[in-house]
Amino acid sequence: MKKSTLIQSIIIALLLVATVSVYTQNMNLKKKVEKFEASKKVEEGNLKRFDDLDFIGWSGKNVKVFEDIHSSDVRVEGTMNANDLAKHSNDAQSYFKFLKEGDGVVSHPVKLADGDWTAVIGETRSTVLDTTPGAAIGSTTKKKGFMLTLAKWSDGKIKEEYLFSLNGDANNSFLNKYIK
C-alpha cells in the first residue's frame, strides 16, 4: 500500500471515529435534555395539582379532590398528623366545618419544585370573632395567616406531607421569623 493511500485511510478512519464520537455525544445530550424536560413537566404537574389541592380541595371543601391528590398510604406530619388517607381526610373534613365563605388558602406566593418534592407557601384567610374593644357582639373579622407544605410525590399523588402553619397571632410557628 502506498504511503499516501495509508495516510488517506488513517484520516478517513479518524474522521469516522470523530463523527461517531460527536454523534454519540449529541445523542447523550439529547437524552439528557429529554430527561430534564420530562422532569420539568412532572414538577409543573405536581405544582398544578398542589394548586388544585389547596384552592379546590381544601378551600373549596372538596373531599373528592382532596382524596384524589393524596396516596392511600400518605404520611402527614406537622399541624396535622396521619399515617393514611382515611385519617387525613377525616381530620380535614373536621376542619372544613370551621371554614366560612372565603376562608382557606387564597394564594401561593411561593411555589418550588425539585424532582419528587414541592414546597409551597400559602397565604390563608380565616373568619374569627372580632375581639377589638367596642366591636359589636358576634361580629367577625378576617385574619391573615400562612402555611408551608413540603410534599413528596409519587405517581402524581402526595406520598409524604409536612405541614406548618402560622395563624397570624401568637408566635406559634417558625414561619413567624420569615414571613411578615
Side-chain angles (χ1 to χ4, degrees):
M1 185 184 285
K2 290 184 181 178
K3 187 175 181 180
S4 64
T5 306
L6 179 60
I7 291 173
Q8 287 174 345
S9 296
I10 291 173
I11 290 172
I12 291 171
L14 289 174
L15 286 173
L16 182 60
V17 167
T19 301
V20 169
S21 176
V22 167
Y23 176 78
T24 302
Q25 288 174 0
N26 284 342
M27 292 307 293
N28 287 338
L29 182 58
K30 183 178 178 184
K31 287 178 185 176
K32 287 180 182 178
V33 168
E34 288 170 353
K35 185 176 178 181
F36 174 79
E37 289 173 346
S39 174
K40 288 299 161 199
K41 282 184 182 179
V42 168
E43 291 170 1
E44 290 169 6
N46 289 344
L47 287 173
K48 167 68 174 99
R49 287 183 59 77
F50 200 93
D51 283 346
D52 292 346
L53 172 63
D54 272 0
F55 302 136
I56 299 169
W58 184 262
S59 298
K61 305 178 192 178
N62 187 319
V63 176
K64 181 178 180 348
V65 169
F66 184 87
E67 291 179 347
D68 183 53
I69 292 174
H70 291 87
S71 68
S72 61
D73 60 345
V74 65
R75 183 170 55 103
V76 183
E77 294 182 22
T79 335
M80 295 177 138
N81 293 291
N83 286 318
D84 61 33
L85 178 57
K87 175 154 178 21
H88 190 39
S89 181
N90 286 337
D91 290 348
Q93 290 175 63
S94 294
Y95 188 83
F96 291 166
K97 294 174 187 174
F98 298 101
L99 289 177
K100 307 278 190 262
E101 183 67 32
D103 284 358
V105 180
V106 295
S107 73
H108 284 154
V110 178
K111 299 190 301 185
L112 305 168
D114 187 11
D116 294 336
W117 287 93
T118 55
V120 176
I121 293 177
E123 180 183 3
T124 61
R125 294 277 187 269
S126 56
T127 304
V128 295
L129 284 175
D130 190 344
T131 58
T132 57
I137 295 174
S139 64
T140 61
T141 185
K142 292 284 185 181
K143 184 180 258 186
K144 181 179 178 178
F146 291 93
M147 50 67 77
L148 166 68
T149 303
L150 303 175
K152 184 168 186 180
W153 296 77
S154 178
D155 297 323
K157 295 189 181 271
I158 295 176
K159 183 82 168 166
E160 297 175 37
E161 193 170 29
Y162 303 92
L163 305 169
F164 307 93
S165 65
L166 172 63
N167 65 13
D169 52 14
N171 291 326
N172 67 343
S173 170
F174 78 94
L175 290 177
N176 233 1
K177 293 187 247 176
Y178 304 104
I179 301 175
K180 300 290 181 201

